[in-house]
Amino acid sequence: MRDAFAAAAADLLDRDPRVAVVLADISADLFRKAAEAHPDRVVNVGIREQLLVGAAGGLALAGLRPIAHTYAPFLIERAFEQVKLDFERQGTSGVLVSVGASYDWAEGSFTHFGPRDVALFDTLPGWRVFVPGHAAEVPPLLEEAVDSEEGAYVRLSLRHNEAPHGGTDGALSVMRRGKRAAVIAVGPVLDNVLAAAEGLDVTVAYTNTPRPLDTEGLRDLAAETGGTVVMVEPYLEGTSAWLVSKALSDRPHRLLSIGVGREELRRYGTAAQHERLHGLDAEGIGARVREFLGPA
């Protein structure tokens, strides 16, 4: 996904004189040619993440469409004050693109984990959040983010599905249909969800645009499944619970949230091990859904 992002961003730099890229050393090698071609619009501020976001906010004030890029916890958690002040409070917008996701580089320890990022964006109005599940989804989503006047967060990951799905309109894409629950899979967890759903009478729908969540599509699917919803997200468990509850507040419903747990796993391990320990592999998802649904 990172390679696809860099290539797409370089193309946007060539095509759109408003676009600027701000880096904090991360992925700088992927932008070497773009920086040579556009030295005034590819800026590497070094390992200074607050400055990264602040500089991007300044470019936005100057009329450019900045793309700021680094690891998720550095871009969002470490520099959240700058996201609030240098974009939100200034009335400007930009595109923030992260790598690392929740635990992609587990060897880098907890400092490089970013499961809280989307939850933080839920405290700010109007930001769109894109969570591609495949590298082929990245270029169209990035272009959609850059072309918009809204703030956008693009969450890249090493975890991915075998094939691309979904479009750029944010609509839920139904992958299979059933009657007992509507299972919503966000981004790279789709393949695990589909494997977990084998033998279960459930609908599985996919989105790479959890913000804004397709609440109309969710309501339609919930109506077909008795108001039973399972939300599977590759970040902090329960992040979208408030949105699902709000969308279905006028009708009885049940919700199971599956995502990254809140406990701190201190042994580094690998991303696959973290996925299993958080119950986000196919076996873990399947076990929780079966327990939630009970006997058929």
Side-chain angles (χ1 to χ4, degrees):
M1 289 191 195
R2 193 193 305 208
D3 290 342
F5 154 66
D11 181 59
L12 287 167
L13 284 162
D14 290 339
R15 293 192 286 114
D16 188 343
R18 298 181 312 130
V19 173
V21 172
V22 189
L23 306 170
D25 272 358
I26 301 300
S27 303
D29 56 327
L30 298 179
F31 283 92
R32 186 170 292 112
K33 290 184 178 179
E36 292 172 356
H38 308 285
D40 55 335
R41 290 189 287 124
V42 178
V43 181
N44 185 357
V45 301
I47 306 175
R48 301 175 180 88
E49 287 83 8
Q50 291 95 334
L51 176 59
L52 167 79
V53 176
L59 292 171
L61 281 173
L64 298 177
R65 186 64 172 165
I67 301 171
H69 168 66
T70 189
Y71 264 81
F74 309 152
L75 181 64
I76 309 306
E77 292 185 55
R78 182 173 297 175
F80 193 61
E81 187 74 3
Q82 282 65 44
V83 175
K84 290 188 300 180
L85 297 182
D86 298 337
F87 282 112
E88 199 65 35
R89 300 288 170 83
Q90 294 288 351
T92 64
S93 66
V95 180
L96 308 182
V97 181
S98 72
V99 293
S102 293
Y103 41 70
D104 278 1
W105 191 36
E107 300 89 335
S109 83
F110 204 70
T111 60
H112 286 69
F113 291 8
R116 304 172 183 84
D117 50 357
V118 178
L120 280 170
F121 274 106
D122 279 344
T123 67
L124 301 175
W127 281 78
R128 302 171 76 186
V129 176
F130 299 101
V131 184
H134 188 277
E137 297 173 29
V138 174
L141 290 176
L142 180 64
E143 185 157 357
E144 174 73 15
V146 168
D147 286 346
S148 172
E149 294 303 318
E150 299 172 293
Y153 175 50
V154 183
R155 189 183 205 260
L156 307 182
S157 178
L158 293 176
R159 318 303 289 169
H160 61 87
N161 304 312
E162 286 302 312
H165 301 280
T168 59
D169 60 358
L172 291 174
S173 300
V174 176
M175 310 303 296
R176 55 166 288 182
R177 289 193 178 273
K179 298 178 181 178
R180 299 195 65 198
V183 185
I184 313 302
V186 178
V189 299
L190 175 62
D191 282 0
N192 286 353
V193 169
L194 287 171
E198 287 295 324
L200 295 176
D201 186 16
V202 298
T203 290
V204 174
Y206 173 72
T207 183
N208 54 26
T209 308
R211 299 293 182 274
L213 184 64
D214 178 12
T215 53
E216 287 303 313
L218 174 65
R219 286 174 60 84
D220 290 344
L221 295 179
E224 298 171 3
T225 55
T228 301
V229 176
V230 179
M231 196 79 193
V232 187
E233 304 169 289
Y235 32 80
L236 196 65
E237 184 165 292
T239 294
S240 293
W242 72 278
L243 266 178
V244 175
S245 295
K246 182 178 179 181
L248 303 177
S249 61
D250 61 337
R251 63 178 76 167
H253 62 277
R254 293 199 307 147
L255 170 64
L256 170 65
S257 294
I258 299 176
V260 178
R262 294 172 184 267
E263 69 276 16
E264 181 179 332
L265 302 177
R266 290 181 174 268
R267 293 186 178 182
Y268 300 167
T270 65
Q273 288 173 322
H274 280 266
E275 184 174 73
R276 184 175 71 254
L277 288 168
H278 285 291
L280 279 169
D281 60 347
E283 182 179 357
I285 294 168
R288 291 191 62 184
V289 172
R290 286 180 170 84
E291 181 182 11
F292 179 64
L293 296 180

